Structure formats: C-alpha cells, structure tokens
Amino acid sequence: MARRGASSGGAGARKRSDRKAGNRTEQAGNRAEGKDGGRAERGAGRAGRRTEPLAEPVDGSLAELVPDRERPHAWTLTLDGAPQSHVDLDDPTFLSFEYQRRIGHIADLVAPPGQPLHVVHLGGGAFTLARYIAATRPRSTQQVIEVDAALVQLVRRELPLDPQARIRVRATDARAGLGKIQDGWADLVIADVFSGARTPAHLTSTEFLAEVRRVLKPGGSYVANLADGPPLTHLRGQIATAATIFPELALAADPTVWRGRRFGNAVLLASDLPLKVAELTRRVATDPHPGRVEHGRVLADFTGGAAAVSDADARPSPAPPPSAFG
C-alpha cells in the first residue's frame, strides 16, 4: 500500500483481498505515452516469459513484478513490498484484487454490455482496470493519469498494453491532469490514487469532486477506491463530501470494514442518475469474498453527520496499520 509521489496509482492490496491501500516534465510525459518510437513496447514481452521477480527502482520506490504461480502470464506489481496491481496478460478480464472486481462490476453496469466508453483513470498502477475495460468494451477511449513516469515505463515495457487499445497514459499529478480534460468528456472517472499508502489531501475535497463532475458527461459515474479503518472518520467524510456534488451514491465494502472492525477498502460510486444498486448488490454479494452495498438513507445515516471536506481543511486518508498487509 505504500507509495511516494503526489498521485501514485493504486494502493496496496493483498491478492484476492480488498486491502489496497508533482508534475513530470513534458519529455517524461511523452515517454510515458509511448512517443519514443515503440522501443518500450518491443521489449515488453519479457515479463510474460519470466519465472522470477523483476525489481527496478522507480520514483522513490522499489517496484517489483512478482510472477503468479497459478497463472503463467500473470504478475503482481508491488511497490516497496506492498501489492498495487495484478495483471494477467492472457486474460485482462481476470480481476484478482477484490476492490478491482467491484470497480469492474461498476464498469460493467454503467452502460449496455459492449458499448464503448470514455474513461479517465486517476492513478495507473499496472493499468489493470484500463485493460479490463479495453477487453470488455472494445473501441473505448481511455486516459490514464499516473505521476510516476518511471513506473509507467516499467509497466509498458514488461506488461505491454494491447497496441489496438485506445489508452493514453499521461505522467502528471491526478488533479492537474484532470484539469486538462475537456468538459463533459468522460462516461466514467475512476480514482485509485495513493501516496505513501494514503490518498493525497487535494484529492479528497469538494473542489476536487467539482472538477470530476465537470469532466463527466451528464449521467456519468465517478468511482473511488477509499481506504480507512476504525472509527471510519475519513470514509464518512468522503461520503458527505461526495453528497454535496452528486445526488446518487452507493458504497461497497467488506462487512468487517462496514462495522469498523478492521482497516480495508471501500468502493464509492456517485452519479447524477439513479444507480443500478440491485444488480451491483447481487454481484458484490457473490464475489469470492462477499461484500455489502449500501445507498440512500442507510448510507446517509452511516455518515453520522460528518462534514464535507474542502481544500482548506483537507487531510490525507489515514495510514494503514502495520498489519494491513500481513
């Protein structure tokens, strides 16, 4: 779950678990977008043939690609030992991490099956969800915003993207990159941004969510991976904050997280239009690790009168306890 940098993509998560816990130069951004003549892509297939972990320094962290012993061309990306993403090059529709499965369910439900989407990913990791959407919704157009250009290069080289996928990767801060996207462009905005295992403060406020709302099409959806533990102060505040911008909210989490018994992940869904709560609830309940979905009055009561967060009083999400990845 540990990451350094203003808006790193992905937060630590155990495999099959829901624990996941500054602008680069234009030259670095161009490299991240694959404008270096394709050299990164040609060397990338090596990860699919490796049987041992590959370690490489990135922006202030040590990145490692660890082979999945059960899936021949699947890898877990870790940063400083904390799992960030899992990718199966043979089957990009396979989502190993529980929180990513829940976001995958949402991506499946925001439009009719197969319909292409415009998607913004805040936080890149190993581009797991971008790969999933490209596979399940061909011809989708996606923008990934990831601050760590060195990590982007590593992932593109060792875990190559499908060259037919319409995925553009920008190496910049999440909020700065979001500010450059045109009004009403996105059907879906996915936020999965952690810095040092914590969501940066500037990505927790009403001002940030107003930018998200600006980028979304009417009726578009916002999804955020949130991490918190007892007494769930951060989670309650994020729900209250989202409620000031979006009229429709739902939250999916493990029952033990809901009850404040342990630190873990919760997936927040927000939109202007009514949500497909019944179907999302069914899917989350039938996951390998079943979760619970709440919305409406129950979710409003859960906030316990928490106040919305503004830029002036924003704080990063809480750090996970040492046992979070044990």
Side-chain angles (χ1 to χ4, degrees):
M1 190 166 190
R3 266 308 299 272
R4 189 184 70 80
S7 69
S8 57
R14 289 188 308 159
K15 189 176 180 182
R16 297 181 181 88
S17 162
D18 65 346
R19 297 183 186 180
K20 176 175 176 218
N23 294 352
R24 312 293 292 186
T25 64
E26 183 65 25
Q27 180 181 13
N30 288 344
R31 289 198 304 268
E33 290 172 21
K35 298 179 181 178
D36 54 0
R39 291 189 301 274
E41 297 297 329
R42 286 198 297 272
R46 293 177 299 177
R49 296 190 296 271
R50 292 182 186 272
T51 58
E52 299 299 327
L54 168 68
E56 189 168 307
V58 290
D59 185 10
S61 301
L62 180 65
E64 190 171 20
L65 294 174
V66 181
D68 185 332
R69 302 302 182 187
E70 298 177 2
R71 306 176 75 89
H73 297 108
W75 300 80
T76 295
L77 168 68
T78 72
L79 290 170
D80 294 332
Q84 302 288 311
S85 301
H86 180 277
V87 170
D88 188 333
L89 297 179
D90 291 337
D91 182 8
T93 66
F94 176 74
L95 299 177
S96 178
F97 290 176
E98 191 167 306
Y99 86 91
Q100 290 183 329
R101 288 178 61 87
R102 289 168 182 164
I103 296 177
H105 295 326
I106 292 169
D108 291 344
L109 294 173
V110 295
Q115 178 177 308
L117 299 176
H118 285 181
V119 185
V120 177
H121 300 262
L122 304 179
F127 315 144
T128 303
L129 290 165
R131 299 171 198 266
Y132 178 84
I133 291 171
T136 58
R137 296 181 177 275
R139 303 183 308 283
S140 291
T141 301
Q142 303 185 73
Q143 297 190 45
V144 178
I145 302 174
E146 164 61 55
V147 72
D148 192 334
L151 176 63
V152 169
Q153 288 184 289
L154 170 64
V155 171
R156 290 186 73 110
R157 186 185 75 235
E158 301 296 336
L159 304 175
L161 290 166
D162 181 344
Q164 301 304 314
R166 300 175 182 179
I167 301 173
R168 182 186 184 189
V169 185
R170 293 181 175 181
T172 190
D173 171 78
R175 187 157 165 181
L178 187 68
K180 296 180 180 179
I181 297 176
Q182 67 191 66
D183 294 4
W185 182 84
D187 298 289
L188 180 63
V189 174
I190 299 172
D192 185 14
V193 186
F194 288 79
S195 172
R198 305 172 74 180
T199 302
H202 69 300
L203 304 180
T204 67
S205 66
T206 53
E207 290 90 342
F208 164 68
L209 288 182
E211 271 294 282
V212 171
R213 181 64 192 86
R214 176 189 66 77
V215 167
L216 284 171
K217 296 176 182 179
S221 296
Y222 170 65
V223 184
N225 176 32
L226 307 174
D228 199 9
L232 301 179
T233 302
H234 173 72
L235 186 57
R236 298 178 203 276
Q238 287 303 286
I239 297 168
T241 302
T244 67
I245 305 296
F246 297 97
E248 300 290 336
L249 302 176
L251 190 76
D254 185 279
T256 59
V257 175
W258 272 112
R259 293 193 289 268
R261 293 184 178 178
R262 68 167 177 85
F263 193 96
N265 289 75
V267 172
L268 176 66
L269 169 62
S271 180
D272 287 340
L273 297 181
L275 307 172
K276 296 180 179 179
V277 176
E279 179 61 18
L280 178 61
T281 299
R282 186 191 68 79
R283 295 188 181 205
V284 170
T286 56
D287 277 340
H289 291 273
R292 197 174 93 210
V293 176
E294 296 292 1
H295 72 294
R297 174 53 55 189
V298 173
L299 189 58
D301 290 344
F302 173 77
T303 65
V309 177
S310 69
D311 276 346
D313 55 15
R315 299 291 183 272
S317 64
S323 61
F325 311 121

